[in-house]
Every structure is written in C-alpha cells, then in structure tokens.
Amino acid sequence: MKRLGKRLLAGPYLMWMLLFTVVPLVLLAYNAFTGADGSFTLTNVAVILDPVNGKPFLRSIGMSVLVTVICLVLSFPLALILRKCSGNKNSFIVMIFILPMWMNFMLRTLAWRLILLNNGILNQILTALGFGRVHLMNTIWAVILGTVYDYLPFMVLPIYNALVKIDNDVISAAQDLGAGQWTILRRIIIPLSIPGVVSGITMVMVPSISEFVIASMLGGGKVYLIGNVIEQAFNSGYADIHAGSGLSLSLMVLILISMVIYRLFDGEEGESSLW
Amino acid sequence: MVSVAGREADSVKKHNMLWKKCTAAGMAVLLTASGLLTACGTSGQKAVQRIVVFNYGDYIDRDVLKQFEKETGISVAYEEFLTPEAMYTKYKNGTIHYDLICCSDYMLDKMIREKDVRKIDMDRLKYAGNIGDTYWKLSRNFDPDNSYSVPYFWGTVGILYNPKLLDFTPDSWKDLWRKDYKDNIIMQDSVRDSFVPALRQLGYSINTTDKKQLKEAQKLLLEQKDLVQSYLVDEVRDDMANEQAAMAVIYSGEAGLARDYNEDLEFVVPKEGSDVWMDSWVIPKDGENYEGALKFLDFLCRKDIAMKNFEYVYYSTPNTAVLDEIDPEEKADDPVIFQSEDVVKNCEMFRYLGKDMEEYYNYMWKQLKAY
C-alpha cells in the first residue's frame, strides 16, 4: 500500500517529464535525422560544419567559457567573504545577491540596454566626468557583460553553499597545526569547494552557450551566436525545423560531453551541487 | 507593421503534421470559445451575415468596423497578424475561412501565383475609382490585370537621417558606406530589405536572381558591416528618435512615425532608387461570404472611411479622394507620407522569387551575419 501511494505521488512528475522532456527530445531527434520528405538523413547534423553555423557555434563556446571564467573570478572571493560574515548580516548580503533575480531577466537586460546605449546612462556619466565615451552597445562585450550579470548568482550560490558546509573546526585544526592563511585556502578551502565550483560552472556555462536573447537585445544584430542561428531556423520565414533540430542536437551532445568531463571532477557525494 | 519582420519566403513547416494538427486543434478551441464556430460548420444560410477579416496589427481604425456593422448589418470577425509569414501559415492551415486578407506585395504575389485568391468584381465596387491610377499601375507588379487586389496603403524604403548629426545631406545609398560615420548607421535586420542598398547602388534589380550580382552585393555589405552600429527591425524608429545614430534604413511609414517623436529627422529615397511597397486586400478562395467581402472592400475605399483609416494609420494612402481633401500645405509639410509620384518611378517592388532563390538570399544573409 505504502509503495503504491509513493508511486502515485510520483505520477504527476513522471507525466510532466514524459510530456515535456522525453517527448520533445524524441521529436527533436526525429526531426534532426529526417529531411523535409521524411527520409533518413545526416545532413541536418552535418550543417554544424558549415562555417555559417560553425562560426557562431565557436563564438558561442568562446563566449560562454569567458563568461564562466569571469563569473568564477568574481564569485569565489565573494563567496569567501559571505562565508566569513556571520548571522543576520550574512543572510542580508546573500539576499542582496538574490534580489535582482526576483525581477524578470528580460527587464534586467533591457535596463542594460538603456545603460550602455551610445548616449545612454553610462556614457552620460562618463562625459559629465570629463572622460570620453565608451562604445560597448552592440558589441560582443555588451553581450558578455549582460550574460555575466544575469548568470552571476548561479555561480555565487553553489560555491557559497559548498563553503558554508566547511566545518570551522577543520580550519581551526589546520591553524593549530601551523598552517597559514594561504595554506588553508589552498589545502582545505579550495579542495572542499570543488563540488560547488563544478556545479556553478555547469549552471553558468550550459545555459550561456545557447544564449540568444541577450545577444539580440544587447548585440544589435551584430553578435550572431549559435542560439540565434537555431532561433532563426525555427522562427523565420525560411524556417527549417530539421536543420534547427540538427543544430540543437549537436549543441546538446557537446554539452553532454562536457558534463561527463565535469562529473569526473565532481566529488563522490556532490551534495552541494544543484543539479 | 508592414512586413518588417523579414520579407521572407515560405517553407512554412508544411510537412510538420503534428504542428499543423496542434494548431488546428487550438484554433478550433479558440473559435468555439469566441462563438465563431459557424465558420467551420456547414450551417448553410446564416441568419446573421458575417465576414472574417485578417489584417496586420493596428492597421485599421476600429471604429470603421463598428460603423460597417451598423450600416450593413454584417458583423465583422476581425483578426490580426504580425508578419506575412505568420499570416500565410495560419491561412494555409485552413481552419478559419477568411473572407478578406490584407498583406504585402511579395506575399500577395505568391498567393496570386498559387491561385489562392478569387477575382474581384471591380465593376461592383462603387468607390474603387477613388484609388489613383498610379497605384493600380504599381499593383500590376504582382497582380498583372488588377483583378485580384485592391490597394490599401503604400510606401517606400529610404534613409532616415538626423541633420544635426551629419555635415552633409544624404541622397545616395553610398552614404551608408561613409567611413566618417562609423557606428552611426543602422541597417534593417531582414533579408530582402538589407540587400536593397547594396543592389541598387551597384545598379542591379532588388529582385535579381543572378547569383554573381548577389555575391557582389554581399561583398559590399560585408565591407559595410564594420561601420554599422546595429541591424534592427522594430527598434530603428526609437533609436533614431533618441538620436542613437545619424542614418538608418527604414520604411517610409515608420519614418513618418519617427518624425512624430523627433522633428529634426528627415527622410530621403536615395537617387539610385529603392523598394516601393504596397499593402493590398485580397479575397481568398475559401472565403464563405464573397458578397460581404465586396461590400467591406467598397466601404474601405469610400472617402470618409479611407480618411478615418488614413488618419489612424498615417501611412501613405493610395486613395485620391482622401488626398484631394487634404490641405496642400499639410502635404508639403510631410513629404514622407505624401510622397511625390516621381519618387516611385525610380523604385521597384519586391517580387516573390521562388523557394530556391529566397533560400539563397537567406543563406547569403546568414553568411553576412555569421562573419
């Protein structure tokens, strides 16, 4: 009886997964391996090799790696600071970081557009202070900035989670044994934070690789990423859902491979990972 | 509004049956909900007459619909679409039988060629004479004997510029290649439109099917890419009004609206010639109320109604009765909306080039974007 009840409870979720994960995946794979006439073909998977798709693909990979590195560099010290803060102050600072996430990310990106425009807020401030204007809007740097801003919390929180779990006694013990700050960081804190870091990297890199909304909002049509290519394949008047599916599949395979590689680094328990 | 989101060809998921079925099901639900089910049924003679009209978003004065219902007793089911491609997909779906559709030249070209539309008895339209000869002639680009379509609004593609930010007056597409205005130029982010400045500048047709000419144009656009601030569609108007850039490729109707926000802006159709566009009404083959559709069409051509729509939409109207009514001073004041007929002489209309050629255009465009 108990078992049946448990199974029934899982029912809605299983249905959800079946309808919105399994079925779409099957459809995607089906479309990727068939042509317009429904016959089997590999051309849709091979289109990734065409520079028209390959260049944006490489650009996306490069961009997401850069975004991830920037996020990591910003997040680790921040998470360390958060860990050191105690009690209420701590949760307040954490909240400051989560706060922007309560607002829709499209709105946040739109705000960046207003800030970065040629005569936007940033340039107005710069000229008022006597500096020259910066040309950021409609460049890849604007897209990177927007993406870092949007994904930063996804890096901070897992690392922070991993760091707060480190027992203070472990650090005290190390200090008793004569370890300096640097040694503690290198030999204790960093190794113990790896699961959080891996989780953070995955949560930033995987979604940012297929990013296209930020690119169209801040890139002014000049930053063409693989996400834009796929979106066009499904949405434009020249819609070719088969090529689009093939490209999506290539992207998923790449992500899957990198996930497997990350998993190798992920500790045995992976408690602090969020996925 | 006017076909901005890319003048693009078809290939609209015809093969994807599942998609089609889902949309059909969704449509059926919608129809039932809005009590329009009679459209699909075969209920024969209906007590209350009704026509189903399909138009671009925000492209008619809604009061006109009410007035039509009041005057004729025919109720109007009015529906809107965003892009010609979206219209085509939905129309081809066949769930709703539209009696009247308003769309842009190249899409009408395709529909007329595919024999999707009915001949219109022009003799029975009392007010069809209000439409000027120039515009009937323009329509012949896609409707060779003026028997399938009635013009609604028209315009051109040109350069919107801000004299405050320029030290010369643009009159050529070549001005969009001036290195001293790097990052001050906005181009259209849609396939066919974006090729117009390059093709016309080289002296080629905007409907060229010569791949060599297209490659040349693409090369030119690639050279320009570094100078371009952004490739936009809907935001062109706002960015120009906010003085983000000095020059932009834009539709005349949108240019008129931008000038409402920023009086400094000027519009020019470059001397090399450009695209002239026309939005017209057609009666689809599977419409169920031909008589009602004729009445509505005639109603739209009537002077007072055309005036209402003109004042609401404020794009260039082909209705000479309306044009005669307007003060010459007002016309002189707004050369963007009241374009001289001479401008058109140097312009071409987009034609539907067939699936393969349209896909080739798209590929060339993608190469440009991916570069």
Side-chain angles (χ1 to χ4, degrees):
Chain A
M1 275 305 279
K2 237 183 177 178
R3 267 181 132 188
L4 185 71
K6 263 187 184 165
R7 274 192 192 166
L8 278 177
L9 273 178
Y13 176 67
L14 283 177
M15 274 306 280
W16 180 272
M17 237 181 52
L18 192 71
L19 278 175
F20 299 115
T21 308
V22 180
V23 172
L25 270 178
V26 170
L27 274 179
L28 186 83
Y30 173 79
N31 280 324
F33 288 112
T34 52
D37 53 356
S39 60
F40 177 80
T41 173
L42 283 172
T43 46
N44 298 315
V45 190
V47 287
I48 193 76
L49 298 173
D50 187 333
V52 161
N53 305 314
K55 267 187 207 160
F57 192 56
L58 292 178
R59 192 173 295 142
S60 285
I61 294 172
M63 200 199 78
S64 69
V65 168
L66 193 56
V67 164
T68 312
V69 169
I70 297 174
C71 279
L72 188 61
V73 168
L74 291 175
S75 298
F76 204 89
L78 185 76
L80 275 177
I81 295 167
L82 285 178
R83 191 191 115 82
K84 285 237 170 82
C85 300
S86 55
N88 291 331
K89 203 162 123 208
N90 181 338
S91 53
F92 175 72
I93 295 176
V94 172
M95 203 180 84
I96 285 180
F97 275 89
I98 307 176
L99 210 58
M101 288 175 78
W102 291 357
M103 209 181 16
N104 184 287
F105 95 99
M106 294 268 268
L107 294 176
R108 281 183 275 144
T109 314
L110 261 180
W112 271 114
R113 188 178 146 80
L114 294 179
I115 294 170
L116 297 178
L117 277 174
N118 274 356
N119 48 17
I121 297 164
L122 177 68
N123 275 327
Q124 276 171 21
I125 293 174
L126 282 177
T127 37
L129 292 176
F131 298 105
R133 292 178 165 211
V134 287
H135 175 65
L136 271 176
M137 189 64 199
N138 304 326
T139 64
I140 189 134
W141 301 109
V143 180
I144 289 172
L145 182 61
T147 316
V148 167
Y149 180 79
D150 276 334
Y151 288 108
L152 194 60
F154 294 102
M155 183 68 91
V156 176
L157 293 178
I159 297 179
Y160 170 71
N161 271 342
L163 290 183
V164 285
K165 279 196 189 123
I166 300 173
D167 199 331
N168 273 327
D169 292 344
V170 177
I171 292 170
S172 305
Q175 279 167 337
D176 283 350
L177 295 171
Q181 288 287 351
W182 174 242
T183 315
I184 291 173
L185 184 73
R186 200 164 48 88
R187 303 279 303 266
I188 298 175
I189 294 182
I190 290 182
L192 285 176
S193 72
I194 287 297
V197 172
V198 169
S199 175
I201 289 176
T202 320
M203 290 187 60
V204 172
M205 194 127 114
V206 171
S208 67
I209 209 167
S210 56
E211 181 55 58
F212 74 93
V213 182
I214 299 175
S216 14
M217 285 167 89
L218 300 178
K222 286 191 86 178
V223 181
Y224 204 55
L225 303 175
I226 191 68
N228 299 83
V229 178
I230 295 174
E231 192 251 354
Q232 284 290 304
F234 280 97
N235 259 349
S236 78
Y238 303 93
D240 182 353
I241 56 164
H242 298 284
S245 304
L247 286 171
S248 309
L249 205 68
S250 313
L251 197 60
M252 278 170 66
V253 168
L254 178 96
I255 291 170
L256 217 69
I257 291 171
S258 46
M259 292 256 258
V260 169
I261 297 172
Y262 291 144
R263 275 290 186 185
L264 296 179
F265 291 100
D266 205 357
E268 65 275 20
E269 81 234 271
E271 255 180 78
S272 40
S273 60
L274 287 171
W275 51 281
Chain B
M1 282 201 283
V2 176
S3 73
V4 274
R7 303 177 157 256
E8 300 161 343
D10 62 332
S11 83
V12 230
K13 305 163 192 163
K14 254 182 255 167
H15 35 269
N16 195 336
M17 285 309 287
L18 188 78
W19 164 261
K20 223 172 155 178
K21 275 179 194 154
C22 290
T23 332
M27 211 76 78
V29 171
L30 270 177
L31 275 174
T32 326
S34 49
L36 300 180
L37 199 62
T38 37
C40 322
T42 45
S43 46
Q45 296 298 330
K46 279 157 256 167
V48 180
Q49 269 208 57
R50 197 172 63 90
I51 55 168
V52 189
V53 180
F54 206 15
N55 193 1
Y56 280 108
D58 213 21
Y59 211 34
I60 199 166
D61 186 343
R62 292 278 182 154
D63 285 342
V64 165
L65 302 177
K66 278 186 210 137
Q67 198 178 334
F68 179 74
E69 289 180 341
K70 223 172 164 185
E71 282 186 23
T72 61
I74 301 172
S75 71
V76 181
Y78 188 76
E79 203 185 322
E80 295 179 336
F81 57 83
L82 204 63
T83 66
E85 288 69 34
M87 180 284 291
Y88 187 80
T89 317
K90 208 164 174 190
Y91 159 71
K92 274 285 178 187
N93 233 315
T95 320
I96 302 174
H97 300 291
Y98 297 103
D99 294 304
L100 268 176
I101 294 178
C102 169
C103 203
S104 301
D105 38 63
Y106 74 106
M107 188 53 84
L108 299 179
D109 190 10
K110 184 171 162 184
M111 288 170 81
I112 290 171
R113 273 194 229 183
E114 289 175 355
K115 302 201 187 319
D116 265 346
V117 292
R118 263 179 92 155
K119 273 205 164 154
I120 299 172
D121 277 320
M122 295 294 175
D123 299 338
R124 292 178 56 199
L125 299 180
K126 254 193 294 176
Y127 301 106
N130 284 349
I131 309 291
D133 283 342
T134 326
Y135 311 105
W136 288 115
K137 217 191 271 166
L138 266 180
S139 291
R140 278 179 221 147
N141 273 306
F142 54 89
D143 180 8
D145 34 70
N146 289 129
S147 52
Y148 292 104
S149 66
V150 176
Y152 186 47
F153 284 108
W154 71 282
T156 52
V157 173
I159 301 176
L160 183 70
Y161 63 96
N162 192 333
K164 277 202 316 196
L165 303 176
L166 292 174
D167 52 17
F168 70 102
T169 309
D171 66 340
S172 160
W173 289 121
K174 286 200 178 88
D175 293 328
L176 296 172
W177 269 258
R178 284 183 60 142
K179 291 205 169 60
D180 41 342
Y181 287 97
K182 184 176 187 301
D183 286 326
N184 251 318
I185 299 159
I186 300 178
M187 291 287 284
Q188 282 283 325
D189 192 8
S190 64
V191 184
R192 293 288 298 272
D193 296 325
S194 63
F195 274 97
V196 171
L199 284 170
R200 290 305 305 207
Q201 169 181 170
L202 291 164
Y204 301 143
S205 160
I206 60 173
N207 292 312
T208 184
T209 51
D210 183 338
K211 294 190 175 173
K212 237 177 84 195
Q213 294 183 350
L214 257 181
K215 281 227 171 82
E216 249 180 275
Q218 189 205 34
K219 203 175 147 238
L220 213 55
L221 289 170
L222 272 170
E223 282 166 21
Q224 185 207 23
K225 193 177 177 185
D226 192 40
L227 308 174
V228 175
Q229 182 191 90
S230 54
Y231 297 89
L232 303 174
V233 180
D234 296 328
E235 301 96 331
V236 178
R237 189 178 75 201
D238 295 341
D239 276 8
M240 283 307 287
N242 292 331
E243 305 186 350
Q244 297 297 334
M247 292 180 276
V249 177
I250 198 170
Y251 279 85
S252 58
E254 291 288 291
L257 293 171
R259 277 159 52 91
D260 277 353
Y261 293 106
N262 188 332
E263 288 173 357
D264 292 325
L265 298 178
E266 300 286 348
F267 177 79
V268 64
V269 176
K271 59 183 181 209
E272 294 96 341
S274 179
D275 160 46
V276 55
W277 55 265
M278 173 82 77
D279 289 343
S280 302
W281 292 95
V282 290
I283 302 183
K285 267 255 155 76
D286 60 354
E288 291 180 332
N289 192 347
Y290 181 69
E291 293 300 316
L294 276 187
K295 271 187 195 158
F296 190 73
L297 256 184
D298 206 19
F299 187 73
L300 287 176
C301 295
R302 213 171 80 189
K303 190 171 88 183
D304 57 324
I305 302 302
M307 183 62 105
K308 262 192 180 171
N309 280 331
F310 169 67
E311 277 169 356
Y312 181 84
V313 177
Y314 209 60
Y315 276 20
S316 307
T317 176
N319 196 306
T320 49
V322 169
L323 288 171
D324 291 342
E325 189 90 334
I326 293 161
D327 197 27
E329 236 174 78
E330 198 189 326
K331 283 188 206 170
D333 232 29
D334 204 340
V336 178
I337 297 304
F338 304 100
Q339 296 189 76
S340 83
E341 292 177 4
D342 293 341
V343 163
V344 178
K345 282 191 189 128
N346 207 8
C347 291
E348 287 176 274
M349 196 170 265
F350 277 128
R351 304 294 310 270
Y352 174 62
L353 302 174
K355 194 167 176 282
D356 288 348
M357 203 59 215
E358 298 268 347
E359 266 169 16
Y360 188 73
Y361 266 87
N362 188 38
Y363 190 76
M364 300 296 276
W365 175 240
K366 261 178 79 176
Q367 279 187 331
L368 177 75
K369 291 298 285 290
Y371 166 72

